[in-house]
Amino acid sequence: MKGVNQATGVGTGNTLPVWQESPTGSFAEADIQDDVELGPKHTPSPSSSDESLIDQTNPVEPFMTLQEIAKMHAASHIDLSNIEKSRGIDSTEAAKRLLQYGKNILTPPPKTPEWKRFLKQYQNTFLVLLNICAVLSLVAFILVKDIINLYLAIVLAVVVFLTAFLQYHEEGKAYKITDSFSHMLATTCNVLRDGRQQTMDVEQLVPGDLIVLRNGDKVPADIVLLLCRGLTTELASLTGESKPVVLTDKPSPAETPLFECNNVAFNGSLCFDGMAIGLVLRTGDLTAIGTIAKLSSETEIRESTLQKEVKNFVKVIAVVSITMALICFVLSVFLQGARTANAIITLFVNGFLVIIVANVPQGLPATVTSLLSLAARNMALHSVLVKRIDCVETLGSTSIICSDKTGTLTKNEMTVTDLWYSERLVKRHRRETKSFFGQEPQALLYRVGILCNRAEPVSEEAQAEMQDEIASQRSLRISDVSRLSWGVSVQKSILSNASEQDDIVPKFTGNPSDVALLAYCDKFCPSEALRREYPILFEVPFNSTNKWQLMVVKSVSAPRDEQYEVLMKGAPEVILQRCTTFASRGAENSQAAITDEFKEQFQETYQNFASQGRRVLALCSRAFLSETSDFSANEQNEYNFPTTELNFIGLVAIMDPPRDNVPAAIEKCHHAGVKVFMVTGDHPLTGRAIAKQIGLLKTDNNIELLEKGTTGSSVDGWESYDGAVVHGNCIDGLSDEQWHAILSKPGVCFARTTPAHKLEIVQRCQNMGNIVAVTGDGVNDSPALKQADVGIAMGLKGSAVAQEAADILLMDDNFASIVNGIEEGRIIFDNIKKTIAYTMAHIFPEVLSAVLSLLAGLPAGLTAMQVLTIDLGTELGPAISLAYEKPEANIMDRKPRDSKKDRLVSPSLLFYSYVTAGCIISVACVITYILIYGQHDIKMADFYRPQLDTSGGNFFSLTASDPVVVQRTGQEFSAQEQRVIFSEAATAWYICLTVSQFCHIWCVRTRITSIFVHGFDNKLTFYGVGIGLVLVIFFSYVPGVQNFVGSATVGWIPWVAAPLTGIVILFYNEVAKWYFRRAPAGSKLVRMFSW
């Protein structure tokens, strides 16, 4: 091609010099190693040949020379002259060590038997309360032989069982979706043992074994490398960072943290590029992944905020009910003059046990569970899968989110972001060159970027296979989540996002940096065509010594057979030292001499890229003539082609960019008063750069603790900073005062953190009273996920371990979905509060019906079965409809609730339910009760005449058996007439109470906003009220059912009284809300009455 004919060299004219000089040198990986510390720092101790005491906890081999290791592990028979011919330990010694150290497996966490997990549901404080009520009802039946109490006990026991079974069933299905640690580990490995290489199960590995690692293998244990030929490993499963780590067989410097030793490969890591032989240091639970697994299993799952609130609620109900029951029982004994044991027992049952049972909202647990399940279904529509439904509300109470960086805040996809060549900065590149084969700067950049690159294109067939695999995995996820009651919603969400996310398949495969560079260059220059034009004749891959990669190529269209080109890329400072010219568009022959001014520009650009967290590569090349095409290097790494006096092309900046919608999500979090902290294993500069881009760090005015020993002990002046960047090495040296100062900032970036550091960060935040959510996708995140108030794992690319430890899975791996979850959690807290306010309002009228009989000597206002049909029937529909209630205005504009002050059941809510709404409804019920008896010419005063003694419960009750005469009128009522009149009065009370509640439901749909402003969009409330009315009519007017419930046909009185009661409640609520909206901040009346 013509482009080659235009190639010029450094020499005069167009003549390329023949290269004969052979300088020495070698090369290394240009990528920054981004890993984290997992254990303490280690200092080598004196070597010892006593292998009976191999220290797996603090190995010293990484800091020892090969000769020292061979001496220390004499039984491994390491051949210093040729490591590949090492004999390894013999089978007899291996058997001894297997008994001494145990199998190379992770101890599985103890599994709770299914029957224990089911019985654990009964520990729910609400269910405990209902069980107590069931037992009390059974005791009442045994004492007074009232069959109604037996029915009540049976119904409550069934309700408790069904609620417990539902929770057990859903919890079991959710936990089956995730997997365990063992799925990440290798199953077989190649071992040098008994003088030969053999394949064996990893369980049989012991300390001292020699392991052979190759491309595609998983490291079967923690090993120190004795021989390394360009091996790189990916520690994403351990660190959460997908950047490859280039390993070496050189000893690590003393005091280096074990997890930062480049000559150690860790259990579970994936190998690619090159090969290595290593000595097993640690096996089983003592490996790095075993340490994390143990830390995770030892971390107890915390109670959710809703569980704490329910406990508080049950305590309140218990105190109120016991106090009320005790007072009523004592007063009834004195007022009714009970002296005999039978009389006292009867009053104990009717005055103590009945009032305790009446005070308990039996239907509330089922209602709350339904609300949470519906909220989980709503969250599933946003690709948020809830494993523990009580964590829905916890997410809404979150005040701090500790988020992983890679894959959560970023795309986990390395991308070229900036270029610097021909002395100019290029952010948005476009194709400018006319030929890709000349010496123009852009042509050189594309040529080196494509040819000096080990990434390979994925064939169309392979892409199709990957597409099928992705579709299969998606179907598997859908199949898994479909076992949940809200799984259909997740399925819809996954399928709706499939075209945007799941269907994307990579076009190239290889080292992430190589893939990013090739993908970028391929947009402007067809890589396959260029590689066909320039076959590779010689290659020096990356290694960890020289920090560069080299290719020698020759164009098949070159006019002269001896015309070649050397291409190189690597660490910028190393590449620049080998160059004497740089590619310049305006210079003669497109090359200009490197000057001090150019070096200053280079350094400034390089530092600017590095400060922004970019990974920077430099590119260079040189055309040369050679009489031979057999290029090689000798044992001293001397090459028979040029590797100096090269032509510098430019700098390429690469990074894992933030997700597109993360900055907006971070802003929403800040607007809602939720802090976002980044907790990453990446480099502090990278973490800081990403944090600034997404708005986590608002300014450059931040506390920066980047080196160990720089923390000091003072916090003077720290209050003036806007955020903080903290290196993991500094965490252990922070004082309590410094922790408080750092965690008080709105944005913090913790970098180079270990699993223990992440756990401590979460605990410190919780100790300050914060509700903490933790996001993560790696094994290293699992302890913090379990410690968090709500753990959130990535559902697409997250490790099985992280998914197992989490409470919530993001099925789209999208941080923005968390914001939707927070909003849904806040809505559900408000709606549960509204549900309790609504449900508790019927308790006082129910209790009053019993109190009338006990203290006033009047017939009871309700039958026991009517009370049960209210709690478990008519109330459920309207109460559950509140789960679909839309939020009041600006729910995401307020700060997270204070878990110590803004309680689910507050004194103001109890006052509203019991005193305000409860009393208004009670007055209406008493009026209808009086009017019904008045229709039969019976006044309340008539019950105090000697001839109308109802204290024994034999008159005007369902068990009336004797006729009675009203002294005032002389009218006699038979037992049957008494039962009918009692049932009519009880039914009137029942209808007035339930229908008043149906009116009340519209009032509690808002706490501050006017119901007329809020609107009537929730159609489910109409349906709930409609179903409730049908049930009221069914229980009140259907023959046969009337006998079971104790009801009777009643006229218009309660049907008129109930709507009028609703109007009174509506008027009170609208006036109160009007005042709450306009009251000054800190108003005592608002604090007392606003619930």
Side-chain angles (χ1 to χ4, degrees), residues 739-906:
W739 269 111
H740 189 275
I742 290 172
L743 298 180
S744 298
K745 302 301 178 184
V748 182
C749 172
F750 293 96
R752 292 295 199 202
T753 55
T754 70
H757 288 153
K758 293 186 178 184
L759 190 60
E760 182 176 7
I761 291 167
V762 174
Q763 291 171 336
R764 292 278 185 172
C765 292
Q766 290 171 333
N767 293 340
M768 291 175 60
N770 294 293
I771 305 298
V772 183
V774 172
T775 72
D777 57 359
V779 178
N780 58 319
D781 299 315
S782 58
L785 287 170
K786 287 187 67 176
Q787 174 65 30
D789 295 285
V790 54
I792 306 169
M794 304 300 107
L796 284 177
K797 299 180 181 178
S799 68
V801 181
Q803 293 176 356
E804 184 177 12
D807 306 303
I808 292 175
L809 304 182
L810 299 183
M811 301 307 292
D812 58 358
D813 287 8
N814 193 344
F815 179 85
S817 298
I818 300 175
V819 180
N820 297 325
I822 291 175
E823 183 174 9
E824 193 66 41
R826 292 188 177 188
I827 293 172
I828 202 62
F829 178 82
D830 277 6
N831 288 347
I832 291 176
K833 203 174 182 75
K834 295 170 186 175
T835 301
I836 292 175
Y838 165 73
T839 304
M840 297 290 287
H842 75 248
I843 290 181
F844 188 74
E846 290 179 354
V847 173
L848 181 61
S849 76
V851 171
L852 288 176
S853 175
L854 295 168
L855 301 185
L858 300 174
L862 292 168
T863 68
M865 291 308 297
Q866 283 176 329
V867 170
L868 208 57
T869 60
I870 293 173
D871 289 352
L872 300 177
T874 63
E875 294 280 69
L876 291 183
I880 292 174
S881 74
L882 290 174
Y884 294 92
E885 197 61 51
K886 66 181 181 182
E888 295 183 57
N890 304 325
I891 194 171
M892 290 298 285
D893 290 344
R894 65 193 192 204
K895 294 182 178 179
R897 71 178 182 90
D898 188 332
S899 59
K900 296 181 180 179
K901 296 180 180 180
D902 189 4
R903 308 304 298 263
L904 186 64
V905 180
S906 60

Side-chain angles (χ1 to χ4, degrees), residues 53 137 167 197 234 245 304 315 370 400 465 499 562 589-590 696 769 805 822 850 992 1015:
L53 298 174
S137 299
Q167 294 175 352
Q197 182 174 320
E234 183 185 85
V245 177
S304 68
K315 289 178 182 177
S370 300
I400 292 179
E465 292 179 2
S499 60
E562 66 272 18
N589 298 327
S590 298
L696 191 150
I822 291 175
C992 185

Side-chain angles (χ1 to χ4, degrees), residues 109-110 291-301 759 783 786-787:
T291 303
I292 299 174
K294 183 179 180 181
L295 187 62
S296 179
S297 63
E298 291 177 350
T299 304
E300 296 183 359
I301 299 177
L759 190 60
K786 287 187 67 176
Q787 174 65 30

Side-chain angles (χ1 to χ4, degrees), residues 263-286:
N263 61 334
V264 178
F266 293 94
N267 191 9
S269 303
L270 179 63
C271 302
F272 55 93
D273 292 344
M275 65 83 64
I277 295 177
L279 174 78
V280 174
L281 296 177
R282 305 189 296 192
T283 58
D285 292 334
L286 294 179

Side-chain angles (χ1 to χ4, degrees), residues 339-358:
R339 297 292 182 267
T340 65
N342 287 337
I344 293 175
I345 289 174
T346 300
L347 289 177
F348 176 75
V349 171
N350 295 328
F352 189 81
L353 302 186
V354 170
I355 289 180
I356 285 181
V357 173

Side-chain angles (χ1 to χ4, degrees), residues 17 30 132 160 163 202 249 253 260 308 345 384 422 467 498 502 504 545 564 633 693 736 738 815 881 887 895 985:
I132 293 174
V160 169
T163 305
V202 296
D249 51 25
E260 293 185 8
K308 296 175 183 177
I345 289 174
V384 180
S422 192
Q467 186 69 62
D502 286 2
I504 297 176
T545 306
Y564 302 92
Q693 287 189 48
D736 292 342
Q738 289 174 325
F815 179 85
S881 74
K895 294 182 178 179

Side-chain angles (χ1 to χ4, degrees), residues 306-327:
L306 185 61
Q307 288 176 316
K308 296 175 183 177
E309 291 295 338
V310 167
K311 278 189 175 181
N312 177 65
F313 174 60
V314 170
K315 289 178 182 177
V316 171
I317 291 296
V319 170
V320 171
S321 58
I322 292 174
T323 302
M324 190 180 297
L326 190 60
I327 292 174

Side-chain angles (χ1 to χ4, degrees), residues 133-270:
C133 290
V135 172
L136 292 179
S137 299
L138 184 61
V139 171
F141 166 74
I142 294 172
L143 293 177
V144 298
K145 307 302 181 184
D146 185 352
I147 193 65
I148 297 298
N149 287 321
L150 179 60
Y151 292 158
L152 182 60
I154 293 173
V155 169
L156 288 177
V158 170
V159 168
V160 169
F161 173 81
L162 292 177
T163 305
F165 181 78
L166 177 64
Q167 294 175 352
Y168 159 80
H169 187 56
E170 292 295 347
E171 179 187 276
K173 289 186 296 185
Y175 279 95
K176 286 178 183 177
I177 293 174
T178 56
D179 233 326
S180 64
F181 279 90
S182 59
H183 287 191
M184 315 174 41
L185 306 179
T187 55
T188 61
C189 59
N190 294 316
V191 183
L192 294 176
R193 190 181 282 187
D194 294 324
R196 61 187 179 87
Q197 182 174 320
Q198 51 187 297
T199 301
M200 61 184 300
D201 292 338
V202 296
E203 293 183 3
Q204 304 300 315
L205 283 183
V206 295
D209 261 323
L210 299 181
I211 306 297
V212 181
L213 297 175
R214 294 186 177 88
N215 182 33
D217 290 346
K218 276 190 175 181
V219 181
D222 289 354
I223 67 175
V224 61
L225 300 185
L226 308 178
L227 171 69
C228 182
R229 293 175 180 166
L231 182 73
T232 59
T233 60
E234 183 185 85
L235 299 176
S237 59
L238 293 175
T239 66
E241 302 300 325
S242 59
K243 301 171 186 175
V245 177
V246 179
L247 299 182
T248 179
D249 51 25
K250 307 297 182 185
S252 296
E255 294 294 329
T256 303
L258 183 62
F259 211 63
E260 293 185 8
C261 293
N262 287 352
N263 61 334
V264 178
F266 293 94
N267 191 9
S269 303
L270 179 63

